Amino acid sequence: MMPVMPDVSRETRDRLDRYADILLRWNQRINLVSPHDLPHLWSRHIADSLQLAQMIPFGPISLVDMGSGGGFPGLVIACATGARVTLIESDQRKAAFLREAARTAGVQVRVCAQRLEVADVPPAQVVTARALAPLPRLLEWGTRFLRPDGFCLFLKGRNAEEELMTASSGWHMATTRIPSRTNTDGVILKLSDIRRVTDHNNE
């Protein structure tokens, strides 16, 4: 069954239309979305990212998106919310695309073209990632960019529970699982109160 696109405002839809158009043009030169997935751009990639946008509190929330690639989910979130979004993407060509796509869509984002291990961005209230790395690695990176009162939103697939089990040996966190509406095997992990196990033991 085809996933249903969430309801969005006309302004948001216009921004997403412009974003999708430029992505399709640039995708002929650099690999932003695999050719196999292009027919599912809206129903899979954009709708998948919009799920996270609906979990962002209203207002000028700061958000860091790790490994933004073609703009999922960070640029979609920027199109759909008033969040102050920073996109971290080390590939210089993809970073150039993100800047041009944001300009074309009419949204203001900061693009940080650095590796996650060395990226220098202020801590944010929300950290996001999609199809980037196993959860323990995401936590290593994400806690660098997360405010103590913030939370992470990670889109995960069928291995989510296994990754949570692996991560539990090194991290304490409050975990909320939200079933994905675009992938029957998918889940959104909302993680807060994230601490290393060693930090807890030293208290």
Side-chain angles (χ1 to χ4, degrees):
M1 182 176 178
M2 186 70 72
V4 177
M5 280 288 297
D7 288 333
V8 296
S9 69
R10 184 173 63 182
E11 292 80 5
T12 294
R13 181 69 189 219
D14 288 345
R15 288 191 287 268
L16 291 172
D17 280 335
R18 294 194 295 271
Y19 161 59
D21 286 345
I22 192 172
L23 185 148
L24 292 173
R25 295 199 304 270
W26 276 62
N27 208 65
Q28 299 173 30
R29 292 180 284 161
I30 62 175
N31 184 32
L32 300 167
V33 176
S34 73
H36 176 73
D37 278 350
L38 280 179
H40 311 291
L41 176 61
W42 282 92
S43 63
R44 184 174 301 167
H45 296 285
I46 294 177
D48 204 26
S49 301
L50 282 173
Q51 294 183 96
L52 301 193
Q54 295 176 330
M55 299 175 190
I56 307 299
F58 180 78
I61 300 297
S62 58
L63 183 146
V64 169
D65 183 49
M66 302 190 299
S68 299
F72 309 110
L75 193 50
V76 173
I77 291 173
C79 288
T81 72
R84 300 190 301 268
V85 177
T86 297
L87 309 174
I88 304 178
E89 175 51 57
S90 62
D91 185 302
Q92 297 296 323
R93 296 180 304 164
K94 291 180 180 179
F97 162 75
L98 291 170
R99 294 188 185 97
E100 182 62 16
R103 186 194 66 80
T104 301
V107 295
Q108 292 188 348
V109 300
R110 177 189 176 190
V111 178
C112 178
Q114 295 178 300
R115 292 171 58 234
L116 289 163
E117 294 86 349
V118 299
D120 183 16
V121 301
Q125 291 154 290
V126 183
V127 172
T128 58
R130 177 179 184 263
L132 180 61
L135 183 58
R137 181 64 61 85
L138 291 179
L139 292 170
E140 288 283 350
W141 291 329
T143 49
R144 293 188 62 236
F145 311 119
L146 187 65
R147 284 178 21 173
D149 61 341
F151 60 90
C152 296
L153 292 173
F154 297 145
L155 285 154
K156 283 292 174 183
R158 65 184 64 185
N159 295 325
E161 291 302 321
E162 180 181 340
E163 292 185 28
L164 281 166
M165 182 65 68
T166 301
S168 68
S169 64
W171 300 89
H172 288 296
M173 66 197 115
T175 303
T176 303
R177 301 162 178 82
I178 302 104
S180 171
R181 296 192 301 270
T182 63
N183 179 356
T184 55
D185 293 324
V187 65
I188 300 164
L189 298 180
K190 181 179 180 179
L191 309 175
S192 58
D193 299 321
I194 304 169
R195 297 180 294 172
R196 290 183 184 275
V197 169
T198 52
D199 294 341
H200 177 75
N201 290 339
N202 288 335
E203 290 181 354

